[in-house]
Amino acid sequence: MTGDADHLLPSDTPVTLIDAHGHPVADAGRALPDDAALRRALASLITARRLNDQAYALVRQGRLAVYPSSHGQEACQIAAAQVLDEGDWLFPTYRDTAAVVERGVDPVEALTLLKGDWHCGWDPYEHRVAPHATPLATQLPHAVGVAHAARLRGEPTVVMALCGDGGTSEGDFHEALNFAAVLKAPVVFLIQNNEYAISVPLARQTAAPSLAHKGVGYGLPGERVDGNDVAALLSVLGNAVIRARAGEGPQLIEAHTYRMQAHTNADDATRYRAAADVEAWTGRDPIVRLSAYLSIDETAFRAEAERVAEHVRDGLNRDIEPDPAQLFASVYSSPTPQLREQAAQLADELDREVAAR
Amino acid sequence: MTGDADHLLPSDTPVTLIDAHGHPVADAGRALPDDAALRRALASLITARRLNDQAYALVRQGRLAVYPSSHGQEACQIAAAQVLDEGDWLFPTYRDTAAVVERGVDPVEALTLLKGDWHCGWDPYEHRVAPHATPLATQLPHAVGVAHAARLRGEPTVVMALCGDGGTSEGDFHEALNFAAVLKAPVVFLIQNNEYAISVPLARQTAAPSLAHKGVGYGLPGERVDGNDVAALLSVLGNAVIRARAGEGPQLIEAHTYRMQAHTNADDATRYRAAADVEAWTGRDPIVRLSAYLSIDETAFRAEAERVAEHVRDGLNRDIEPDPAQLFASVYSSPTPQLREQAAQLADELDREVAAR
Amino acid sequence: MTRHEKLSMAQALNRALRDALSDDPTVVVFGEDVGPLGGVFRVTDGLTAEFGEDRCFDTPLAESGIVGVAVGMAMNGMRPVVEMQFDAFAYPAFEQIVSHVAKMRNRTRGRVALPMVIRIPYAGGIGGVEHHCDSSEAYYAHTPGLHVVAPSTPADAYAMLREAIASPDPVVFLEPKKLYWSKEEVELGPRPPAIGRAVVRREGTDATLIAYGPSVPVALEAAEVADREGRSLQVVDLRSIVPFDDETVCAAVRSTGRAVVVAEASGFASVSSEIVARVTERCFHSLAAPIRRVTGFDIPYPPPKYEHLHLPGVDRVLDAVDDLQWEDS
Amino acid sequence: MTRHEKLSMAQALNRALRDALSDDPTVVVFGEDVGPLGGVFRVTDGLTAEFGEDRCFDTPLAESGIVGVAVGMAMNGMRPVVEMQFDAFAYPAFEQIVSHVAKMRNRTRGRVALPMVIRIPYAGGIGGVEHHCDSSEAYYAHTPGLHVVAPSTPADAYAMLREAIASPDPVVFLEPKKLYWSKEEVELGPRPPAIGRAVVRREGTDATLIAYGPSVPVALEAAEVADREGRSLQVVDLRSIVPFDDETVCAAVRSTGRAVVVAEASGFASVSSEIVARVTERCFHSLAAPIRRVTGFDIPYPPPKYEHLHLPGVDRVLDAVDDLQWEDS
Ligand SMILES: Cc1ncc(C[n+]2csc(CCOP(=O)(O)OP(=O)(O)O)c2C)c(N)n1
Ligand SMILES: Cc1ncc(C[n+]2csc(CCOP(=O)(O)OP(=O)(O)O)c2C)c(N)n1
Ligand SMILES: [Mg+2]
Ligand SMILES: [Mg+2]
């Protein structure tokens, strides 16, 4: 063991390339992504915002059971997906629907489970997007396993593993980062620090100088980035992906952002934070900032965003008749005798019900 | 959050005050404990060594079921106990019998469970020593809880929580350190890094610059200390206890030492490490080093050590007749009807057995 | 002095916590979002405001840490009441619960007691998504050293939580989520103990329904319907799974000679298996038919659209009753 | 071609791992001390030397991490076989096992299979200290989505581990510690499947003993003794707890009309409760007496000096058999 840890510690402040007013930051020490990349990001940001707001509205209309929105965090969502190659993997949480969709998953599929169906909706192998994980931080060791398996087979896969600030307190966060570091697995851990875990503010979650400071304890580099600056995110995450692919091992990146809405529709954020705190963050909006920098009017991208919103509305307004047999179909590769018996019992009940009508 | 983490990082090399040859280290930047304290430590080191070796021998004689020895790690054991006040708490692992005994627990009581009885043997409240924990790192959150409860009541208690290098990989290590830091609980976490977790060497356990570097990720100071130098341990741990008592919160200390024997008597260390590696560490023995520094012949303390060894032999050679009723007596504050039924069944069986003889 | 108030189960639990915090300075409440938010089900509503941050506080997001810290606090003179946010989110704490909470008293020969309560909003019926509706009682009930209880009414919720907090033993306190909003008149004074005591909720002569927690209202409704169809069903509410009240349950079953166990959890190796096994062992010759179980299927808890298919409902209970071999054979 | 060799159960398991590693390049073995040490029970002896560090490796000491990483590797084309060092040390992985291992296939509509094996040296009888002798099968058996098996002979150990590794479903593979050193002639070629198939180990006409894993030899010995006393006991070895072989078990019980379940685990809400419940449900009118259970007590597993009092032994099994109401009543 060596005492030299400096190269593993994050910078004192988060990397920002475009400030809240849309001005490039002088002396950022990193090149800005080119305009084409930023235009592409802006288009996606606007669609992601529309998706978030459409989904939220659909909860109110009873078409979704619950929706944890990433409104305000779209820069993290889009950058996390855009820096990946086709053969890479994304491991999302429940809040990362926008990233899942940016990766190519049909938004209606992406909302399947949140609608009230019994499975995640998409085929994880089609776009290499894991089913989203709700038990916090449990997806992180999975991400390490996928990366390690790829490395054993000599494939150039990199895995992007998402996690919230609250999730960093769980034991699985610790175990995953440690395994990744020891195995030198090509994983980029991205913490979206949105300052809250439901009602619990960051200060009650950790006393660390920053969440990125957790890296050094595992021997992996930590970095901090402005989570509302998609240019900085593309640069920092892009770099991390390149290094991971080159065999330099895992990295930990903390994106500082803010949860603009309640935890989910079921939450009442007024019980634990002031409206003014939220207000303060509207000035740092990732979309406003990027369109100012690019001098592009958002409306240029509205059509696509509306198309997606309409697709989501259509998809979710279509009622899917529950198919009882499906309850038993995928518990095992083939149902156990016990499940066959239970499925038959249910089928019989339903038949009798129909007959009695 | 602040990016300033320097004061939380450990020194580049472990703190040493007396080197392997018994010479004081120049420019150590810390005062040596006074000779009286060091003499007291030496006496205890010698007794601890004797206890370790006696217990190990008793396993071979079938008087103990198993004994994880701290032979070679006695400096950590003795310092951890000696820096505490009477009202403080010690949380040991299975390897920390010597520390438990140094804290005042009768060595025969301390070996009760390892002998094959159904309870830890000592009264945890008498000397404020928790029952030792076997499931790794699980004792660490308990230590935090004891400390936090004391703080809530305004008591000046400090808790010394012991853990091995392997134990640092468990989720509970992470959760405990984080809780301690957020609650500012007066806990000193002491990792005895003896380079092995059974057969697994440190390099497969972590890629961190040092285990003490894990502190910064929780916002608590980490320090490294030579685990075979009782003077350095008394200084570093003593200081940590003072700071914790003063309300400065928890600290993480990594003592670098070595497991000189097999994991337990049941282990065969030749399968995974070379005899030469072990040899290299005999030159750093904590007892040799301290007696050289104090220019004291160990024999001065042999009598007391032998007295303890004899007490242990006597105590463990006495057969305690298992008392079947005890199996049910302490599962709950009073046995459930189910347990009363089962106890009666067992009693009846045993009665019939006796009658049949 | 006994007071009465009309309260929902969530309010009754909140009142129990408030009264315990008032009466006993060693009681502390902590967990995720139990502070200013008042818990996702508002069971801890107002406690931080009323008793201060030292008595009711939010912790970092780590269930094993929460339970482990509670163990330490209980070792050191406090009576912690911790909340696991949802049933499935108690699993990270499983090692702490099984290897420490359940065993501490025993492995210290009774010297270290752990007077602590682990509150778990549990089971389904509220349209929750995956991981939010598990019936996890079997995991705890199978683990010696824990008390495991589940109230089915606001009055029991109040009294049993007070009793659990006062208990010298650790209690896993299962709160049926779907009953949080059920209301009734609640007696706020001392009551006879309920932990370890089942209660007959409805008298009946033809068969006995045995239920606990969220399944008690289902059993009662089934009995109501059966009554209209001319069959008299007795309903026993266990309240306490561990300790188990063999006396009340067996007396009930012997009085009717037939029984159906109703529980939401998957049936395999469950509490309902235990009930069937132990009642059969004890009442075999009083039974006119094998005891039937109406339980969740042996599948992961299904999402909102499907839960009505999975949960034991009145029809399924009545089908099971019909199956109790009423005809001479 | 079928080969035969005399092997202990530990050797048979080792051979199964070696053969699987040889036959299938996607098989990987990992856990604590499974590398150079060869596992604390030497089940992975020599694998790292033979197959290299990529195929058999030591991990950091973190069970949730081990199982979680295995989930990811299984998602990505591998067949991980992980070792939990002892039964009680699998508890930190409980959330991963219950919320992911058991549910992944279902929550992806069958698209993501997890062909992985969790090997757990389990149960008692070896004079182990606390946390080293838990019979934890009920926790897994109650969790839908897992296969749960326990061999009782070296031959079954070899065949069932091969089958478990080849299975597209996750398997919790319980290895009775006290049988690691039992030896027999083992057939190393293909065999009919054993997962989901109970087997009659001994024919008998008066009553049926139902056992699995470490209790099978106890049941066989009891049958031997009973035979000398003039009573003919049949012995069924479940081998597989989930799936459960109702057909074989019920046919056996119907043939004798009496049954005793033998298992080391605490009885409350256990696999043995389930066996009593389901066999009674299915064979009620064939039963001349209630099915009896001989299980561990509902106490934490006791330490070496006391385990003989706790474990189901031959005498206790025969007492239970005597209790099966042989006299006309
Ligand atoms: C193991 C576990 N415990 C508790 C929960 C309940 N829960 C869901 S989201 C949440 C807060 C998570 O906060 P954070 O990780 O910061 O993510 P964010 O919601 O802010 O994106 C909690 C406590 C859970 N999902 N999993
Ligand atoms: C949760 C858990 N997993 C596995 C074990 C088995 N085990 C006992 S000691 C040990 C190695 C521990 O190494 P370390 O923490 O370095 O302590 P040391 O034995 O070196 O003092 C292991 C794996 C355990 N006791 N607890
Ligand atoms: Mg957050
Ligand atoms: Mg070690």
Side-chain angles (χ1 to χ4, degrees):
Chain A
M1 291 200 303
T2 156
D4 180 20
D6 288 352
H7 64 293
L8 303 177
L9 291 171
S11 50
D12 281 350
T13 52
V15 173
T16 308
L17 298 184
I18 300 176
D19 72 15
H21 306 291
H23 303 316
V25 173
D27 299 327
R30 286 169 178 265
L32 267 166
D34 61 32
D35 274 13
L38 291 178
R39 278 184 70 97
R40 185 172 152 243
L42 181 59
S44 295
L45 285 176
I46 288 165
T47 301
R49 173 70 49 89
R50 189 69 192 87
L51 172 66
N52 273 325
D53 296 347
Q54 178 62 74
Y56 207 81
L58 286 166
V59 178
R60 257 181 272 116
Q61 295 157 35
R63 309 303 307 184
L64 277 177
V66 66
Y67 186 70
S69 176
S70 64
H71 183 117
Q73 301 177 216
E74 290 92 349
C76 298
Q77 299 284 307
I78 296 310
Q82 290 194 344
V83 295
L84 298 180
D85 280 357
E86 211 174 298
D88 294 340
W89 274 84
L90 178 76
F91 274 75
T93 75
Y94 50 86
R95 196 177 299 289
D96 301 314
T97 303
V100 168
V101 169
E102 179 64 20
R103 183 89 185 124
V105 173
D106 182 304
V108 175
E109 283 185 5
L111 293 167
T112 307
L113 207 150
L114 299 171
K115 177 174 187 181
D117 214 327
W118 54 276
H119 58 86
C120 74
W122 66 88
D123 178 349
Y125 293 114
E126 192 184 342
H127 300 284
R128 299 202 157 198
V129 176
H132 70 238
T134 298
L136 294 163
T138 55
Q139 74 280 10
L140 303 180
H142 307 171
V144 177
V146 164
H148 186 57
R151 211 183 58 85
L152 286 183
R153 282 202 305 265
E155 291 164 7
T157 310
V158 173
V159 180
M160 177 72 64
L162 306 185
C163 172
D165 47 308
T168 65
S169 296
E170 291 281 4
D172 270 12
F173 173 86
H174 175 72
E175 301 191 10
L177 266 70
N178 193 41
F179 270 74
V182 168
L183 296 172
K184 268 191 155 269
V187 183
V188 177
F189 296 98
L190 171 60
I191 305 172
Q192 288 171 73
N193 170 6
N194 63 6
E195 294 203 1
Y196 281 90
I198 308 187
S199 71
V200 180
L202 192 63
R204 296 204 72 97
Q205 202 66 250
T206 182
S210 83
L211 294 171
H213 279 85
K214 291 182 183 288
V216 64
Y218 308 100
L220 54 86
E223 192 48 281
R224 305 168 70 182
V225 58
D226 183 331
N228 286 15
D229 175 6
V230 81
L233 283 157
L234 287 170
S235 169
V236 170
L237 290 173
N239 217 3
V241 167
I242 289 168
R243 287 167 61 179
R245 204 181 311 282
E248 290 181 44
Q251 284 144 94
L252 174 65
I253 295 171
E254 175 192 4
H256 191 184
T257 179
Y258 196 79
R259 202 192 71 213
M260 298 300 290
Q261 300 184 334
H263 173 68
T264 66
N265 50 290
D267 178 36
D268 174 6
T270 64
R271 294 178 72 100
Y272 53 81
R273 69 181 184 188
D277 295 349
V278 183
E279 264 319 300
W281 276 84
T282 51
R284 308 196 208 170
D285 189 88
I287 298 179
V288 174
R289 179 189 306 210
L290 185 59
S291 44
Y293 172 77
L294 289 173
S295 311
I296 300 182
D297 185 350
E298 291 178 33
T299 49
F301 302 102
R302 278 276 161 73
E304 170 61 8
E306 284 308 326
R307 199 194 58 72
V308 169
E310 196 187 321
H311 175 68
V312 168
R313 278 195 308 274
D314 283 358
L316 295 188
N317 283 330
R318 235 176 297 125
D319 274 312
I320 305 162
E321 202 49 41
D323 172 6
Q326 293 298 319
L327 281 177
F328 304 93
S330 306
V331 182
Y332 297 98
S333 53
S334 72
T336 60
Q338 287 69 46
L339 286 188
R340 281 200 299 275
E341 224 176 65
Q342 293 170 24
Q345 181 204 328
L346 177 59
D348 175 58
E349 277 179 18
L350 295 173
D351 285 351
R352 282 186 290 136
E353 239 175 61
V354 170
R357 261 186 220 146
Chain B
M1 292 201 300
T2 155
D4 181 19
D6 288 353
H7 64 294
L8 303 177
L9 291 171
S11 50
D12 281 351
T13 53
V15 173
T16 309
L17 298 184
I18 299 176
D19 72 15
H21 307 291
H23 303 316
V25 173
D27 300 327
R30 286 169 178 265
L32 268 165
D34 62 32
D35 275 14
L38 292 177
R39 278 184 71 95
R40 185 173 153 243
L42 181 60
S44 294
L45 284 176
I46 290 165
T47 301
R49 172 70 48 90
R50 189 71 190 86
L51 172 66
N52 273 325
D53 296 346
Q54 179 62 75
Y56 207 80
L58 286 166
V59 178
R60 256 182 273 117
Q61 294 158 35
R63 309 302 308 183
L64 277 177
V66 67
Y67 185 69
S69 176
S70 64
H71 183 116
Q73 300 177 216
E74 290 91 349
C76 297
Q77 298 283 305
I78 297 309
Q82 290 194 345
V83 295
L84 298 181
D85 281 356
E86 212 176 296
D88 294 339
W89 274 85
L90 178 76
F91 274 76
T93 75
Y94 50 86
R95 195 177 299 290
D96 300 313
T97 304
V100 168
V101 169
E102 180 64 19
R103 182 91 185 123
V105 174
D106 182 304
V108 176
E109 283 185 3
L111 293 167
T112 307
L113 207 150
L114 298 172
K115 177 176 185 179
D117 214 327
W118 54 276
H119 59 86
C120 73
W122 66 89
D123 178 348
Y125 294 113
E126 194 183 342
H127 300 282
R128 299 202 157 199
V129 176
H132 71 237
T134 298
L136 294 163
T138 55
Q139 73 281 11
L140 303 179
H142 307 170
V144 177
V146 164
H148 186 57
R151 211 183 58 87
L152 287 183
R153 282 200 305 266
E155 292 164 6
T157 309
V158 172
V159 180
M160 176 71 64
L162 306 184
C163 171
D165 47 306
T168 65
S169 297
E170 290 281 4
D172 271 12
F173 172 86
H174 175 73
E175 301 190 11
L177 266 70
N178 193 41
F179 269 74
V182 168
L183 295 172
K184 266 190 155 273
V187 184
V188 178
F189 296 99
L190 171 60
I191 305 171
Q192 287 172 74
N193 170 7
N194 63 6
E195 294 203 0
Y196 281 90
I198 308 186
S199 72
V200 180
L202 192 63
R204 296 204 71 96
Q205 201 65 249
T206 182
S210 84
L211 294 171
H213 277 86
K214 292 183 183 287
V216 64
Y218 308 102
L220 54 86
E223 192 48 284
R224 306 169 68 182
V225 58
D226 183 331
N228 286 15
D229 175 4
V230 81
L233 283 157
L234 287 170
S235 169
V236 169
L237 290 174
N239 216 4
V241 167
I242 289 168
R243 288 168 60 182
R245 205 182 310 285
E248 290 182 43
Q251 284 144 93
L252 174 65
I253 294 171
E254 174 191 5
H256 191 184
T257 180
Y258 196 79
R259 201 192 71 212
M260 298 300 291
Q261 300 182 335
H263 174 68
T264 65
N265 50 287
D267 178 36
D268 174 6
T270 64
R271 295 177 73 100
Y272 53 82
R273 69 182 184 187
D277 295 347
V278 183
E279 265 319 299
W281 276 85
T282 52
R284 308 196 208 169
D285 189 86
I287 299 181
V288 173
R289 177 187 310 207
L290 185 59
S291 44
Y293 171 78
L294 290 173
S295 310
I296 299 180
D297 186 351
E298 290 179 33
T299 50
F301 301 102
R302 278 276 160 74
E304 171 60 10
E306 285 309 325
R307 199 195 57 73
V308 170
E310 197 187 323
H311 175 69
V312 168
R313 278 195 308 273
D314 284 358
L316 295 188
N317 282 330
R318 237 177 296 125
D319 275 313
I320 305 163
E321 202 48 44
D323 173 5
Q326 292 297 319
L327 282 177
F328 305 93
S330 305
V331 182
Y332 298 98
S333 53
S334 72
T336 60
Q338 287 69 46
L339 286 188
R340 281 201 299 274
E341 223 175 67
Q342 294 171 23
Q345 183 204 328
L346 177 59
D348 175 58
E349 278 180 15
L350 295 172
D351 285 351
R352 283 186 288 138
E353 240 175 59
V354 170
R357 263 188 216 145
Chain C
M1 211 198 60
T2 304
R3 293 157 298 151
H4 284 81
E5 251 177 78
K6 185 150 187 156
L7 298 174
S8 71
M9 186 183 284
Q11 289 167 332
L13 292 164
N14 178 265
R15 182 59 76 93
L17 291 172
R18 267 164 67 197
D19 290 353
L21 283 160
S22 293
D23 290 359
D24 181 348
T26 67
V27 173
V28 282
V29 172
F30 56 97
E32 295 157 10
D33 302 293
V34 299
L37 182 63
V40 293
F41 293 105
R42 303 294 182 265
V43 171
T44 59
D45 193 23
L47 300 183
T48 299
E50 187 170 344
F51 298 96
E53 288 227 337
D54 282 353
R55 305 290 307 284
C56 177
F57 57 95
D58 286 328
T59 65
L61 215 169
E63 292 77 9
S64 186
I66 292 170
V67 172
V69 167
V71 166
M73 293 182 78
M75 286 179 76
N76 201 10
M78 311 298 264
R79 291 185 175 267
V81 183
V82 299
E83 176 173 306
M84 303 279 98
Q85 198 159 80
F86 283 89
D87 27 62
F89 305 145
Y91 301 150
F94 198 68
E95 179 185 37
Q96 283 289 348
I97 295 174
V98 173
S99 292
H100 290 295
V101 176
K103 295 187 172 64
M104 186 67 83
R105 176 184 287 276
N106 194 60
R107 62 192 297 270
T108 60
R109 218 182 330 175
R111 281 153 168 167
V112 180
L114 293 182
M116 58 185 276
V117 179
I118 303 176
R119 293 182 39 243
I120 308 181
Y122 104 113
I126 59 158
V129 291
E130 48 168 7
H131 310 295
H132 291 73
C133 300
D134 282 17
S135 285
S136 43
E137 66 269 30
Y139 300 132
Y140 308 112
H142 180 60
T143 305
L146 303 171
H147 283 177
V148 184
V149 306
S152 77
T153 68
D156 267 6
Y158 176 85
M160 288 169 69
L161 185 51
R162 293 298 307 264
E163 203 182 329
I165 295 172
S167 169
D169 292 310
V171 180
V172 174
F173 196 93
L174 301 167
E175 302 172 359
K177 282 182 222 91
K178 76 166 192 203
L179 302 181
Y180 270 139
W181 302 278
S182 65
K183 282 208 171 191
E184 74 172 354
E185 202 70 34
V186 174
E187 187 180 313
L188 296 168
R191 271 200 352 175
I195 296 183
R197 267 84 162 189
V199 65
V200 176
R201 288 276 175 218
R202 181 189 173 109
E203 295 295 348
T205 52
D206 292 335
T208 303
L209 304 181
I210 306 169
Y212 55 90
S215 299
V216 173
V218 177
L220 287 168
E221 199 188 327
E224 197 66 46
V225 175
D227 192 53
R228 291 200 291 272
E229 294 171 357
R231 202 166 261 164
S232 163
L233 301 183
Q234 183 189 38
V235 176
V236 176
D237 176 358
L238 292 185
R239 304 199 291 194
S240 173
I241 300 171
V242 181
F244 190 89
D245 185 351
D246 283 310
E247 219 174 285
T248 304
V249 175
C250 289
V253 173
R254 285 200 195 96
S255 78
T256 63
R258 289 181 166 84
V260 172
V261 180
V262 188
E264 281 193 20
S266 297
F268 200 88
S270 66
V271 170
S272 49
S273 324
E274 178 63 31
I275 301 171
V276 172
R278 67 190 305 114
V279 176
T280 305
E281 281 163 357
R282 284 162 173 76
C283 312
F284 189 69
H285 294 290
S286 309
L287 288 175
I291 301 179
R292 291 291 313 268
R293 290 183 276 178
V294 179
T295 68
F297 298 119
D298 293 318
I299 61 173
Y301 194 88
K305 284 207 175 164
Y306 292 82
E307 66 180 355
H308 65 287
L309 299 168
H310 175 72
L311 292 174
V314 168
D315 288 346
R316 210 171 276 161
V317 172
L318 294 175
D319 280 356
V321 171
D322 283 344
D323 256 20
L324 293 174
Q325 308 175 358
W326 299 91
E327 310 297 314
D328 285 353
S329 60
Chain D
M1 212 197 57
T2 305
R3 294 156 299 151
H4 283 82
E5 250 176 81
K6 186 149 186 156
L7 298 174
S8 70
M9 187 184 284
Q11 289 167 332
L13 293 164
N14 178 265
R15 182 60 74 93
L17 291 172
R18 267 164 67 197
D19 290 354
L21 283 160
S22 292
D23 291 358
D24 181 348
T26 67
V27 173
V28 282
V29 173
F30 56 97
E32 294 158 11
D33 303 293
V34 299
L37 182 63
V40 293
F41 293 104
R42 303 294 183 266
V43 171
T44 58
D45 193 23
L47 300 183
T48 300
E50 187 172 343
F51 298 96
E53 289 226 337
D54 281 354
R55 305 291 305 284
C56 176
F57 58 95
D58 286 329
T59 64
L61 217 169
E63 292 77 9
S64 186
I66 292 170
V67 172
V69 167
V71 166
M73 293 182 76
M75 286 179 77
N76 200 9
M78 312 298 265
R79 291 184 176 268
V81 183
V82 299
E83 176 173 306
M84 303 279 98
Q85 199 159 79
F86 282 90
D87 27 62
F89 305 145
Y91 301 151
F94 198 67
E95 181 187 34
Q96 282 290 347
I97 296 174
V98 173
S99 292
H100 289 296
V101 177
K103 295 188 171 65
M104 186 68 81
R105 177 185 286 275
N106 194 59
R107 63 192 298 270
T108 59
R109 216 184 329 178
R111 280 154 171 166
V112 180
L114 293 181
M116 58 185 276
V117 179
I118 303 176
R119 293 182 38 243
I120 309 182
Y122 105 113
I126 58 159
V129 292
E130 49 168 6
H131 310 296
H132 291 73
C133 302
D134 283 15
S135 286
S136 42
E137 66 269 30
Y139 300 132
Y140 307 113
H142 180 59
T143 305
L146 303 172
H147 283 177
V148 184
V149 306
S152 77
T153 70
D156 267 6
Y158 176 84
M160 288 169 68
L161 185 51
R162 293 297 309 264
E163 203 182 326
I165 296 172
S167 169
D169 292 311
V171 179
V172 174
F173 196 92
L174 302 167
E175 303 173 359
K177 285 184 220 84
K178 75 165 193 201
L179 302 182
Y180 270 140
W181 304 280
S182 65
K183 282 208 171 190
E184 74 172 356
E185 202 71 34
V186 174
E187 188 181 311
L188 296 169
R191 268 201 353 176
I195 296 183
R197 266 83 162 190
V199 64
V200 176
R201 289 274 176 220
R202 182 189 173 108
E203 295 294 348
T205 51
D206 293 334
T208 304
L209 304 181
I210 306 170
Y212 54 91
S215 298
V216 173
V218 177
L220 287 168
E221 200 188 327
E224 196 66 46
V225 175
D227 192 53
R228 291 199 291 272
E229 293 170 359
R231 201 166 261 164
S232 163
L233 301 183
Q234 183 189 39
V235 176
V236 176
D237 176 357
L238 292 184
R239 303 200 291 195
S240 172
I241 300 170
V242 181
F244 190 89
D245 186 350
D246 282 310
E247 217 174 288
T248 304
V249 175
C250 289
V253 173
R254 284 200 195 98
S255 78
T256 64
R258 288 179 166 85
V260 172
V261 180
V262 188
E264 281 193 22
S266 297
F268 200 89
S270 67
V271 170
S272 49
S273 325
E274 177 63 29
I275 301 172
V276 173
R278 66 190 305 115
V279 175
T280 305
E281 280 162 358
R282 284 164 173 74
C283 312
F284 189 69
H285 294 291
S286 308
L287 289 174
I291 301 179
R292 292 290 314 268
R293 289 183 277 178
V294 179
T295 68
F297 298 119
D298 292 317
I299 62 173
Y301 194 88
K305 284 204 175 163
Y306 293 81
E307 67 179 355
H308 65 287
L309 299 169
H310 175 74
L311 291 174
V314 169
D315 288 347
R316 209 170 275 161
V317 173
L318 294 175
D319 280 357
V321 171
D322 283 345
D323 256 20
L324 293 174
Q325 308 174 356
W326 300 91
E327 309 298 313
D328 285 354
S329 60

